[in-house]
Amino acid sequence: MNDTLDWNAPHTISTGEELAAEVARLGAAADLPAAFDDTSTRAGRELHWEVRSLEAFASNDGVPAGDAPADGAFAPVELPHTAIAPFLHFRSTARELEALGETLNLTVGAADYETWVFVDGVELARHRGYFAPFSARFDRAGRDEVQIDIVTRRAVDEVTWDGTDSAPNTGDAHGKGLGSVCEGLPTAGTGLLAPVRLEALPAIGITDAWCRLRDAAVVVEVELEAGSTTGAGAESAASANAEADATATLHAVLRSASEDTVLAETGTELASAAAAGRHTLTLDASALPEWSPVTPGLFVLEIEVRQAGAVLDRHTQRTGVRRFERLADGSLELGGTPLFVRGTTTIGDLWEPAWSGDRELLLERLLELRALNANVLRVHVSVLPDLFYRCADELGILIYQDAPLQWHCFEPVRDDLDPEVEQVAELLRLVRRHPSVVVLSFPNEMHMWEPFHDSDVEFVTRAAQRVEELGHSLLVVQDHSGPTRPQVTPQSFHEYPGYFDGTSASTFSAIAFEGEGTKAIISEFGAGGAPSWEALQRTARAHRIDETPFPLPASPSEAWHAEPARTHVIGGTMDLLQRAVGRHDDFESTRAASQAHQARVLSRQAGRIRRDRAASNGCIQHYFRQPTDYLYNSWFDLAIVDAAGEPTAAFQALREAYRPVAAELLGVPERVFEGADVRGTLWLYNDLAESVELRAEWTVTRDGAPISAGGGELSRLVEPHTSLDAGAVVFAEGVEPGRHEVELTLHLGGREYTRLRTAFEARAQLTPLDLEVAVLGDVEGFALRTGGWLGDVVPWTAGAATVVVTPGTPLDDETRQTLIERVARGGRLVLLERPAGEDVGWTSPSVSAVIAGDLHTELAHAEFSLLDSGLRTDDLSRWPTHDGRVVTHPVLAADGRQSPGWASTGPRLQYWAVQEFKNRYGSTVVCQAHVWDSVADPAASALLRHLLAKPARVIA
């Protein structure tokens, strides 16, 4: 079983205190060991270091001189240690080496990012990559003391990535600038992230070990290296048997994780005392626990190399096995049970606790995912230490691991791809031993250049081949980079229907690109909202707000708008969001509206993806927690937990949408006319392995009082791993004017499971408009749509005073000229939903934009406004449309060149522009708002009525 119900979980989590209390409850219920460190028998010691910064370093000149005054002085340091510097130079003196043997192994636990290692001034090794351990051996050559120097270089040559700086690099590491945290900033630093160890090298050493299920057996893969014949391990063997070629054996033992009980064991002879390479051992799996999110069963794998009765090398690790498969139709199964992933992304928020070794904080952060009802965490464009993956193993959290190579913002790699391919190989060796890691993706967002370069395809192809050569039990996916890009592996997709200014529902889905018979993971979908006041204050200090043209209000009750700095990254983000949620009178109102927008987008998108099980395997929100006070989206952010630890309204909305058994109400309108019957559709989702009987009951209130014409119930049996359309529901009939709230209670097994609420407003009918309107196009359709308030609709003739052109109606040159001449003599022309670009022919050098009355005039050149229409920005948002979209923008402003925004930015934005052109064509209105298919919405009808009734103006 991969999902279960937690009846003790609170219904809502809306504050940081409530989230912390739920994490504490979940932690108390988890059966976790006091520690779970791997062990090794190798004799050795960790080295102590001092460090200094370097501005430049030329590796071909050898190690930098220790007394060069320009380089600064060394200072003692504890690892891990990173800094925002071009280079760091670490130095250590290793003494009493004779006790370790003649051939020694130096292991660097993790270095960021490019590394040079020197012993007594001679280069020993170079390494480039994302924090995988690497080793190099050297001969002591009679020395009892050596000087070890390590120089590290950061991945990019700029200090930080904050949304404004753009730095060229070789394409190897843009992503870590978002995924890592250095000196309190999400940035590309450099340094040593883990201890450096000097140890004896046995005659035969274990370099890697992992296991997986194959049918009814556990297959253990072990990689061995040939070591020293004179080291400490070899000497102990020689004392027992003087023959240099004494037979060596490889042993594998599987023990219970909770008690010292042998579950299975086996062994094999090695061909010689120097049996380097990969070896495969097969053990009986019948007594082993199988790992799953509900029962994360683990055991201890112990590997030994023995020679002449002595142990040359031993390695133990807590691990587990699970059956994870992608079926022929693209579905995922874990342990023979279908798996639909529901999760979120980490960008940097786990970096510091993971690399500092704060196990307790790591566990708490992972338990926050349980509180979200998530089962998967995507580790985005970064790599974390082994401790993190062990914590996920223990808690049963699935991990979707990025290979942190992100090329789309920087110059991509063109020539030498070997280092990039080997980084993927190193990453696989790190994560394949952990049962929690089920997906490996590469790369994150290839650059957006067209055509796709041959080397880009080569990288994806070679990386896929390399991981298959090494062996694994993961799903390897390729991040989607557009429909024209070659597909090498199954794909995952990034969708942003509501990044900061999009829609909360959309029929468009990138998963259609993958092809028939496949299913994809939507690995990023996001929407932005304002954080808490406390988090905003922290961000202001981190951004040195006194140095920007974007001051904060003195209190949450004061206004905060984008106008002072629309061209600044902060102001630009705020401007986008204001277009989605409108302008408000104070920060608290802005925050509430933006979080409601974020919550609506995330819950609707999660539901859409869950409904589309024929094409998708899961949904992953982007992203979970703001890691620091300073990040590129830290004013209006994508995170659902802010830097102060406060969850947004979107956290609870997504938590509801992510329930293993969930319900969703669709199609309930925002606004209706009085007398309408209000309908919706109830969807039920079941990710459990068994059927559930669900009963829904609902009540309706108007202005807080129950209404007699509302309420009802239904029951449905929902099969395992199913999304069920429970049918259309009439919530209320013949509604009267006022604000109504629908509350639906869902019962499971006779117990109340959850409650859903939605609201709508009933408005009075529009007063009749005494006006004859001539229609060019669909006369009958226009008459039907406006029949409640406009009765005089006639076909168009050349002499008509007020003319409407319906959507999709072609206009030849003769007709167009006739319309121009008529409006110039005092007529009025309204063109509905013309294709973006075609309408450029109606524009003049000075474009006037129709804007909503509560939108600040600086956001548009407002020669003509809707102030006397009674409409506000909220009325011009959230319109249902014929294609399933929900319009969330108010009308768009003209851009800096006074061109209509919808004409210059493509069809996605065309729905929100209303332009009036007077200078050349008299009173001509191009209305891109979807009034044609949304006229049942009172706000849409009011807008159309206003555009028709506005007096025409004759151009002299």
Side-chain angles (χ1 to χ4, degrees):
M1 180 180 293
N2 300 320
D3 266 304
T4 187
L5 299 178
D6 184 354
W7 288 98
N8 296 318
H11 181 64
T12 60
I13 296 176
S14 58
T15 67
E17 289 183 355
E18 291 173 348
L19 179 57
E22 174 63 356
V23 166
R25 184 189 72 85
L26 293 169
D31 183 19
L32 299 174
F36 37 86
D37 291 332
D38 296 346
T39 62
S40 173
T41 59
R42 291 191 184 183
R45 62 180 77 112
E46 290 183 7
L47 300 176
H48 300 284
W49 297 90
E50 51 185 4
V51 69
R52 62 179 177 172
S53 297
L54 299 177
E55 290 299 320
F57 172 67
S59 61
N60 56 336
D61 294 335
V63 65
D67 55 354
D71 291 336
F74 283 100
V77 68
E78 297 289 331
L79 302 186
H81 176 77
T82 58
I84 301 173
F87 298 89
L88 286 183
H89 178 193
F90 296 85
R91 175 165 288 176
S92 179
T93 301
R95 299 180 174 87
E96 300 179 0
L97 301 182
E98 185 176 1
L100 293 179
E102 186 60 31
T103 302
L104 305 180
N105 202 52
L106 183 70
T107 299
V108 179
D112 180 9
Y113 167 76
E114 192 164 2
T115 312
W116 294 263
V117 180
F118 302 85
V119 173
D120 282 345
V122 177
E123 184 174 312
L124 181 65
R126 294 187 186 188
H127 183 265
R128 180 185 181 192
Y130 284 92
F131 325 135
F134 66 95
S135 299
R137 66 177 65 182
F138 66 95
D139 290 329
R140 186 169 63 86
R143 295 169 293 182
D144 200 36
E145 177 181 308
V146 295
Q147 176 182 293
I148 300 175
D149 292 274
I150 298 179
V151 177
T152 62
R153 180 187 75 85
R154 66 185 176 203
V156 295
D157 293 330
E158 295 294 318
V159 171
T160 187
W161 168 269
D162 65 1
T164 57
D165 295 334
S166 179
N169 79 340
T170 58
D172 55 15
H174 161 66
K176 193 187 67 62
L178 304 181
S180 62
V181 175
C182 182
E183 298 181 13
L185 299 176
T187 184
T190 188
L192 295 175
L193 290 163
V196 179
R197 183 176 173 83
L198 189 63
E199 59 190 13
L201 194 65
I204 304 174
I206 302 165
T207 60
D208 194 19
W210 65 287
C211 56
R212 60 180 167 179
L213 278 176
R214 182 185 295 165
D215 299 326
V218 174
V219 176
V220 179
E221 301 279 357
V222 183
E223 292 186 4
L224 303 178
E225 66 175 350
S228 170
T229 59
T230 57
E235 292 172 2
S236 63
S239 64
N241 191 326
E243 296 183 14
D245 60 348
T247 301
T249 56
L250 177 65
H251 288 259
V253 179
L254 308 181
R255 301 182 186 275
S256 170
S258 57
E259 56 188 34
D260 192 16
T261 302
V262 174
L263 304 176
E265 62 180 319
T266 191
T268 185
E269 281 194 5
L270 300 175
S272 69
R278 183 189 301 182
H279 299 266
T280 301
L281 301 173
T282 302
L283 297 91
D284 180 15
S286 59
L288 290 183
E290 194 165 333
W291 190 95
S292 77
V294 175
T295 55
L298 298 173
F299 54 86
V300 175
L301 170 64
E302 179 183 286
I303 304 294
E304 285 187 348
V305 179
R306 302 173 185 171
Q307 185 180 28
V311 175
L312 298 184
D313 204 6
R314 177 189 293 125
H315 176 73
T316 63
Q317 64 185 52
R318 287 171 65 92
T319 188
V321 289
R322 77 287 185 278
R323 291 169 290 150
F324 184 71
E325 299 177 279
R326 187 175 192 264
L327 305 183
D329 69 348
S331 299
L332 300 179
E333 281 193 354
L334 179 61
T337 302
L339 174 69
F340 191 89
V341 297
R342 311 178 307 272
T344 184
T345 302
T346 173
I347 301 186
D349 56 292
L350 295 175
W351 183 269
E352 288 184 328
W355 286 107
S356 67
D358 192 337
R359 174 177 175 269
E360 294 306 313
L361 184 54
L362 267 181
L363 293 171
E364 289 178 10
R365 291 288 172 83
L366 287 172
L367 286 170
E368 289 178 338
L369 300 180
R370 289 279 191 231
L372 185 65
N373 291 319
N375 58 20
V376 67
L377 177 66
R378 182 182 183 209
V379 182
H380 184 52
V381 290
S382 62
V383 178
L384 295 172
D386 207 51
L387 174 64
F388 162 77
Y389 302 100
R390 292 185 218 159
C391 290
D393 292 343
E394 298 287 341
L395 291 176
I397 301 294
L398 300 170
I399 300 299
Y400 174 126
Q401 175 65 54
D402 282 1
L405 301 165
Q406 181 162 311
W407 294 359
H408 77 290
C409 291
F410 290 88
E411 179 74 19
V413 175
R414 292 297 189 213
D415 300 318
D416 184 10
L417 296 173
D418 290 347
E420 275 65 27
V421 173
E422 283 311 304
Q423 286 178 59
V424 175
E426 286 185 341
L427 174 60
L428 180 70
R429 288 190 179 96
L430 174 67
V431 301
R432 67 182 177 181
R433 71 186 68 177
H434 295 283
S436 58
V437 183
V438 293
V439 178
L440 174 66
S441 76
F442 54 78
N444 180 69
E445 295 181 358
M446 291 295 261
H447 62 79
M448 303 306 159
W449 296 3
E450 292 285 359
F452 212 43
H453 195 279
D454 290 345
S455 62
D456 304 327
V457 180
E458 180 187 351
F459 167 73
V460 176
T461 304
R462 287 183 55 190
Q465 293 172 344
R466 187 76 178 98
V467 298
E468 292 308 313
E469 291 169 0
L470 290 171
H472 60 86
S473 60
L474 313 178
L475 173 64
V476 177
V477 300
Q478 169 189 354
D479 279 0
H480 180 75
S481 294
T484 64
R485 307 298 174 87
Q487 178 183 338
V488 176
T489 68
Q491 297 187 88
S492 66
F493 293 92
H494 302 175
E495 291 189 351
Y496 283 98
Y499 193 85
F500 289 105
D501 57 343
T503 65
S504 58
S506 172
T507 56
F508 168 78
S509 175
I511 56 181
F513 293 139
E514 185 157 7
E516 187 176 353
T518 60
K519 296 185 180 183
I521 297 173
I522 306 301
S523 54
E524 290 184 25
F525 68 99
S532 64
W533 181 251
E534 180 184 354
L536 193 72
Q537 295 299 306
R538 294 184 182 185
T539 299
R541 290 189 291 270
H543 273 277
R544 299 180 300 278
I545 198 64
D546 56 322
E547 301 175 12
T548 77
F550 198 61
L552 291 178
S555 71
S557 61
E558 295 184 22
W560 189 44
H561 302 302
E563 289 83 2
R566 291 182 63 209
T567 58
H568 189 275
V569 59
I570 303 169
T573 301
M574 188 169 184
D575 182 32
L576 285 175
L577 198 63
Q578 282 185 340
R579 295 186 185 193
V581 304
R583 179 186 169 113
H584 298 270
D585 294 333
D586 54 58
F587 166 75
E588 283 298 344
S589 299
T590 301
R591 176 178 180 244
S594 69
Q595 289 198 6
H597 167 76
Q598 182 187 31
R600 185 167 55 248
V601 170
L602 294 184
S603 60
R604 285 291 183 259
Q605 289 305 312
R608 179 185 65 82
I609 298 166
R610 291 185 78 169
R611 288 193 298 279
D612 200 7
R613 290 175 187 257
S616 62
N617 278 314
C619 44
I620 300 177
Q621 177 264 344
H622 191 79
Y623 49 94
F624 186 69
R625 176 188 282 266
Q626 171 67 277
T628 72
D629 299 332
Y630 188 106
L631 191 59
Y632 69 117
N633 284 329
S634 49
W635 298 83
F636 283 104
D637 197 23
L638 298 175
I640 56 175
V641 177
D642 66 28
E646 289 295 320
T648 67
F651 176 91
Q652 175 59 28
L654 194 63
R655 182 173 182 260
E656 190 68 43
Y658 274 180
R659 287 178 179 269
V661 176
E664 185 177 19
L665 291 175
L666 296 177
V668 180
E670 295 278 339
R671 297 165 291 264
V672 297
F673 283 119
E674 61 179 311
D677 294 342
V678 179
R679 293 175 169 83
T681 302
L682 177 63
W683 276 84
L684 303 171
Y685 311 124
N686 179 19
D687 289 348
L688 301 180
E690 64 271 356
S691 300
V692 293
E693 180 75 32
L694 297 175
R695 180 171 59 88
E697 298 178 342
W698 59 91
T699 59
V700 184
T701 58
R702 183 180 71 250
D703 298 332
I707 64 173
S708 59
E713 67 175 85
L714 62 77
S715 296
R716 294 289 187 272
L717 178 69
V718 188
E719 299 295 329
H721 309 289
T722 300
S723 297
L724 175 68
D725 181 352
V729 176
V730 178
F731 292 108
E733 299 177 355
V735 294
E736 299 178 11
R739 177 177 171 78
H740 297 69
E741 184 174 271
V742 179
E743 180 177 83
L744 184 144
T745 305
L746 195 67
H747 298 266
L748 191 160
R751 302 169 61 182
E752 180 180 319
Y753 176 61
T754 188
R755 294 189 179 191
L756 303 178
R757 291 180 177 87
T758 189
F760 63 91
E761 180 185 2
R763 294 187 181 180
Q765 293 284 352
L766 297 178
T767 58
L769 180 62
D770 185 16
L771 178 70
E772 181 181 272
V773 175
V775 176
L776 181 57
D778 187 355
V779 181
E780 182 178 347
F782 186 80
L784 179 65
R785 285 164 169 77
T786 59
W789 48 269
L790 180 63
D792 204 357
V793 177
V794 299
W796 173 72
T797 60
T802 302
V803 180
V804 169
V805 180
T806 61
T809 302
L811 297 176
D812 58 33
D813 291 342
E814 181 180 352
T815 302
R816 188 172 181 274
Q817 186 60 36
T818 300
L819 293 171
I820 291 172
E821 292 173 356
R822 183 65 188 89
V823 295
R825 295 195 305 272
R828 184 163 190 78
L829 173 63
V830 178
L831 300 109
L832 299 180
E833 303 170 30
R834 307 298 294 172
E838 188 266 0
D839 301 303
V840 175
W842 291 97
T843 64
S844 61
S846 177
V847 176
S848 303
V850 174
I851 65 168
D854 64 336
L855 198 63
H856 196 277
T857 56
E858 290 180 24
L859 293 181
H861 182 62
E863 187 176 333
F864 171 76
S865 77
L866 297 178
L867 281 173
D868 56 350
S869 72
L871 295 169
R872 295 175 60 84
T873 51
D874 188 58
D875 294 309
L876 299 180
S877 67
R878 301 195 296 281
W879 291 4
T881 63
H882 69 284
D883 62 354
R885 299 174 72 88
V886 176
V887 177
T888 58
H889 283 69
V891 294
L892 287 180
D895 67 16
R897 295 186 300 262
Q898 290 299 297
S899 299
W902 48 268
S904 61
T905 52
R908 194 173 75 89
L909 297 181
Q910 72 182 20
Y911 303 108
W912 306 283
V914 180
Q915 309 285 342
E916 185 181 36
F917 313 112
K918 304 187 184 76
N919 295 351
R920 282 182 63 191
Y921 301 125
S923 192
T924 301
V925 174
V926 180
C927 177
Q928 293 299 117
H930 261 191
V931 296
W932 180 252
D933 289 292
S934 303
V935 76
D937 186 305
S941 276
L943 172 59
L944 182 57
R945 184 184 186 283
H946 178 75
L947 296 178
L948 294 173
K950 189 77 175 178
R953 185 179 72 172
V954 178
I955 304 299

